[in-house]
């Protein structure tokens, strides 16, 4: 494809919503694994598909209460959980801004976001 066509060359990484490359555990371009399915990565992948004409996209975003660094779940009010929520808000904002820049917005696209696992806090 010609430069500026919107299609990435095969050697380029898909970009997360924060502009970083989406990579696997070894640093190669590609699927980051389910622990890497953070909002910034998943929404970057969805944006790339939408920008390149994929009309229907489905995606999975890791739940916000999982602390993937410490391998534990976090609860309401904990600093890491609050930070993860803030990061997810930022990722969604960047996602919608990015798509809007490509003419994809609520006037021509249905965005449907729902829960998968239905997790809820059961701690003390």
């Amino acid at each position: 494809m010609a430069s500026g066509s919107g299609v990435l060359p095969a050697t380029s990484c898909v970009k997360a919503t924060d502009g970083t490359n989406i990579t696997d555990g070894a640093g190669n371009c590609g699927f980051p694994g389910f622990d890497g399915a953070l909002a910034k990565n998943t929404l970057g992948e969805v944006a790339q598909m939408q920008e390149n004409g994929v009309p229907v996209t489905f995606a999975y975003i890791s739940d916000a209460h999982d602390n993937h660094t410490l391998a534990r779940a976090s609860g309401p009010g904990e600093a890491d959980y609050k930070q993860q929520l803030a990061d997810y808000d930022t990722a969604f904002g960047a996602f919608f801004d990015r798509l809007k820049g490509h003419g994809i917005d609520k006037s021509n696209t249905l965005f449907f976001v729902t829960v998968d696992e239905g997790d809820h806090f059961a701690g003390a």
Side-chain angles (χ1 to χ4, degrees), residues 2 6 30-31 65 68-70 106 111 116:
F31 180 61
H65 68 79
H68 300 282
T69 304
L70 301 176
K106 65 182 180 179
F111 297 96
D116 175 22

Side-chain angles (χ1 to χ4, degrees), residues 35-94:
D35 277 342
L38 304 173
K40 70 178 186 171
N41 291 335
T42 298
L43 294 173
E45 294 164 342
V46 170
Q48 185 68 42
M49 289 186 280
Q50 288 286 312
E51 292 160 355
N52 285 280
V54 177
V56 178
T57 51
F58 294 87
Y60 176 83
I61 298 173
S62 294
D63 41 35
H65 68 79
D66 278 345
N67 182 318
H68 300 282
T69 304
L70 301 176
R72 70 173 183 86
S74 303
E78 291 188 62
D80 58 329
Y81 181 56
K82 290 168 63 173
Q83 183 60 56
Q84 183 96 308
L85 291 175
D87 292 347
Y88 277 32
D89 283 347
T90 298
F92 270 96

